[in-house]
Amino acid sequence: MKYLSIKEAIKKGKGNVDIRGWVYRERGSNKFKFIVLRDSSGIIQCVAKKENFSEKQWNELKALTIESSIKITGKIKEDKRSPVGYEVEINKFNIIQKADAFPIAKDKGIEFLRDNRHLWLRSRRMTAIMKIRSTVFGAVHEYFRKNSFYEYQSPIFQSVQCEGGSTLFNVPYFKEKGVFLAQTWQLYAEPEIFALEKIYTIAPSFRAEKSQTSRHLTEYWHAEMEMAWASFDDILNHGEELIKYIIKKVIEKNSEELEILQRDIKKLNISIKKKFPRISYDEVLKLLKEKKNMKIPWGKDLRTVEEDKLSELYDTPVIVYNYPKKVKAFYMKEDEKNPKVVHGADFIAPEGYGEIIGGSERESDEKKIIQRLKEEGENIKEYKFYLDTRKYGSVPHGGFGLGIERVIAWICKLDDIKESIPFPRTARRWTP
Ligand code: 4AD
Ligand code: MG
């Protein structure tokens, strides 16, 4: 038997159809039983008339519970009263499994839904988010492949830090001190650009973030690129084009889902059309002082509050570049004219979604890298493999990392990054 998806059945619009799925809603009277059936493609109302069934069958239908799995054969026809404009009159049915009482009901709080994420995943809201998530992953692959990047993988067990010791996960390994979980692919990507030149990945990254915020996970998916012969502008251009491409694809493929999430597509469209403003750290301090009355001493990193205030001034992501060297990672290239700042940039999303991309041109001077690693108290010997990249045919290069969940949270306008990933991990949540 060939089963149609609910979407296909609606497209067919008339005649007999075989469909299967889960009971999304049910109600009945002594003559009729209404079932709203759900599958991955959508929902449709089905109706059974008592007169068409034996008493045994009718009792089975009457006892049907939410989330029971069922196969239905029936006649589809247009019906203005039903939620999607079509209805299936049931001729035959086969209950595959009658579900226990489903724990998720309307009035449940956010923590309850997170405790039951394995079931909440079936909600229309989570389904919409997961479809958009799938589009985002696909768009990242498409963008980089269209631009002749090779897909490449770094190890997850790593011997050195890259983004600062405070967010490192140290895990037991065979050796005494254990190893670190990847914060980024970067130090293992740079050696490969001397062979493949243009590479990208999508992989999990790990950060031991102790604080509970709406934009930090301890395990998140990281889309990263690294490129030989690249100027700072080349890196920023790819970051901007990638974001535009992702949004374009989501609008193309997921208009239904954006509607379920009540996301204003016009707001997203602006970021496809307009060029992202690029402003230096120095200019940001001036802007925040003039427009938001915030006085930030030169040399301090921008915190969440400052990023949010800055994002209020724009309706697209804004690219902040040339940060003070002392707040940025050891590998970022010193500016030739001003050694106090580095060619590093953050993309700050609009609507208060924070940093979605961090990237930089890489320092080419081995001595400067060693100096900065020493200042951070690192053991230089551990970085031999990385320092070798600067010894044998070093070229100007750089790259960036994009936080997939931050981008999804922004695109879907979620209250919390935890809703953008199937099973969120934070300092306080590692179950289910
Ligand atoms: O700015 P970050 O730390 O940069 C790097 O890791 C570079 N090595 C990337 C590179 O140049 N290849 O992280 C990159 C992005 C951030 O802009 C943010 O979007 C995301 O990763 N991110 C997180 N997302 C969710 N939860 C967290 N705890 C995150 N930490 C960073
Ligand atoms: Mg960053």
Side-chain angles (χ1 to χ4, degrees):
M1 195 173 289
K2 163 101 174 72
Y3 289 91
L4 296 183
S5 72
I6 288 172
K7 204 177 210 162
E8 289 165 337
I10 290 171
K11 212 170 157 205
K12 190 174 174 210
K14 55 177 193 274
N16 282 322
V17 292
D18 297 295
I19 53 178
R20 59 187 166 186
W22 294 266
V23 176
Y24 180 62
R25 277 191 207 119
E26 55 79 31
R27 70 193 156 85
S29 63
N30 25 4
K31 283 196 190 132
F32 297 103
K33 175 80 186 182
F34 291 97
I35 296 166
V36 177
L37 192 74
R38 169 183 73 72
D39 74 2
S40 63
S41 74
I43 56 171
I44 189 163
Q45 179 164 287
C46 306
V47 60
K49 289 182 188 151
K50 187 177 179 202
E51 63 198 42
N52 296 334
F53 297 96
S54 69
E55 196 174 329
K56 180 170 171 270
Q57 284 175 320
W58 182 249
N59 285 336
E60 272 175 28
L61 277 175
K62 264 196 350 201
L64 207 55
T65 47
I66 298 281
E67 289 304 321
S68 292
S69 43
I70 185 170
K71 292 179 174 175
I72 288 174
T73 300
K75 207 173 189 174
I76 191 163
K77 62 169 174 25
E78 240 188 300
D79 185 327
K80 293 267 166 341
R81 290 163 303 174
S82 91
V84 292
Y86 285 84
E87 191 177 74
V88 174
E89 188 182 329
I90 304 174
N91 298 328
K92 269 198 310 206
F93 67 89
N94 179 5
I95 297 169
I96 307 302
Q97 195 250 335
K98 188 183 160 205
D100 290 6
F102 200 58
I104 294 182
K106 261 221 165 85
D107 52 347
K108 298 294 184 187
I110 194 82
E111 285 305 320
F112 179 90
L113 296 178
R114 285 182 192 148
D115 287 339
N116 288 280
R117 182 56 72 82
H118 56 297
L119 302 175
W120 180 235
L121 282 173
R122 305 177 187 202
S123 64
R124 293 201 88 202
R125 184 176 169 79
M126 281 308 291
T127 304
I129 296 168
M130 289 305 129
K131 284 183 183 174
I132 289 171
R133 185 179 168 94
S134 172
T135 303
V136 172
F137 275 75
V140 172
H141 285 294
E142 277 170 34
Y143 175 83
F144 283 119
R145 284 165 182 267
K146 273 185 195 203
N147 284 284
S148 308
F149 282 75
Y150 291 98
E151 187 172 357
Y152 166 83
Q153 292 80 25
S154 84
I156 296 292
F157 287 147
Q158 301 186 352
S159 57
V160 289
Q161 64 86 30
C162 184
E163 298 301 331
S166 68
T167 63
L168 270 178
F169 272 113
N170 193 207
V171 295
Y173 204 66
F174 305 102
K175 66 188 191 76
E176 213 176 285
K177 280 157 95 183
V179 294
F180 305 122
L181 294 184
Q183 293 172 308
T184 163
W185 82 332
Q186 188 185 321
L187 300 195
Y188 298 86
E190 287 186 54
E192 184 60 32
I193 57 119
F194 299 89
L196 295 179
E197 299 190 32
K198 291 165 78 176
I199 54 177
Y200 82 97
T201 202
I202 308 182
S205 276
F206 303 87
R207 305 279 170 111
E209 304 277 0
K210 282 170 208 86
S211 55
Q212 284 291 120
T213 80
S214 61
R215 52 177 81 151
H216 287 91
L217 296 164
T218 51
E219 176 182 312
Y220 71 97
W221 286 78
H222 204 170
E224 297 188 84
M225 70 85 108
E226 195 72 30
M227 192 178 158
W229 311 106
S231 67
F232 191 32
D233 270 345
D234 293 333
I235 306 298
L236 303 186
N237 292 344
H238 273 300
E240 177 167 351
E241 288 307 314
L242 173 62
I243 290 173
K244 287 182 150 73
Y245 192 81
I246 293 171
I247 294 177
K248 206 172 123 232
K249 286 290 147 182
V250 170
I251 291 177
E252 249 170 59
K253 295 190 176 176
N254 299 108
S255 56
E256 261 176 62
E257 286 71 35
L258 291 168
E259 201 180 316
I260 289 172
L261 299 170
Q262 296 179 331
R263 179 53 154 141
D264 185 354
I265 294 184
K266 282 198 277 329
K267 285 216 163 136
L268 291 175
N269 239 325
I270 300 172
S271 292
I272 305 180
K273 300 226 167 80
K274 272 200 199 167
K275 192 165 164 51
F276 301 172
R278 298 181 186 192
I279 48 183
S280 70
Y281 170 87
D282 287 8
E283 288 168 307
V284 169
L285 296 199
K286 262 195 231 144
L287 267 175
L288 289 178
K289 194 168 160 210
E290 279 165 22
K291 304 229 158 130
K292 297 288 177 187
N293 198 23
M294 291 173 105
K295 292 190 196 82
I296 304 134
W298 194 94
K300 279 199 97 179
D301 202 0
L302 301 180
R303 295 167 302 166
T304 304
V305 274
E306 283 106 24
E307 287 179 356
D308 289 355
K309 287 287 172 201
L310 181 68
S311 87
E312 285 173 11
L313 301 173
Y314 302 94
D315 51 9
T316 69
V318 43
I319 305 173
V320 181
Y321 65 92
N322 280 15
Y323 278 84
K325 184 161 68 187
K326 61 181 180 189
V327 303
K328 286 295 185 192
F330 68 90
Y331 54 74
M332 292 192 183
K333 188 176 173 63
E334 217 177 81
D335 186 274
E336 304 79 17
K337 289 177 226 124
N338 178 6
K340 280 197 173 135
V341 304
V342 286
H343 288 183
D346 287 351
F347 289 46
I348 314 297
E351 301 177 72
Y353 282 92
E355 180 194 327
I356 45 177
I357 283 187
S360 77
E361 194 179 341
R362 314 307 186 196
E363 181 55 75
S364 52
D365 184 339
E366 190 194 347
K367 287 195 206 78
K368 286 186 177 152
I369 299 176
I370 292 174
Q371 176 61 31
R372 281 159 72 189
L373 280 170
K374 278 189 179 153
E375 281 164 16
E376 288 179 26
E378 292 294 321
N379 178 359
I380 303 304
K381 275 197 204 121
E382 309 254 11
Y383 291 83
K384 178 184 181 300
F385 79 96
Y386 182 69
L387 295 169
D388 274 356
T389 57
R390 306 306 198 259
K391 287 195 209 312
Y392 309 105
S394 185
V395 293
H397 68 285
F400 65 75
L402 170 146
I404 297 260
E405 285 77 17
R406 296 243 179 118
V407 169
I408 295 170
W410 165 43
I411 290 178
C412 298
K413 207 171 196 304
L414 306 177
D415 289 339
D416 195 304
I417 196 169
K418 295 179 207 56
E419 316 313 319
S420 69
I421 187 165
F423 293 95
R425 267 58 183 127
T426 67
R428 271 191 267 147
R429 179 173 290 285
W430 52 88
T431 61

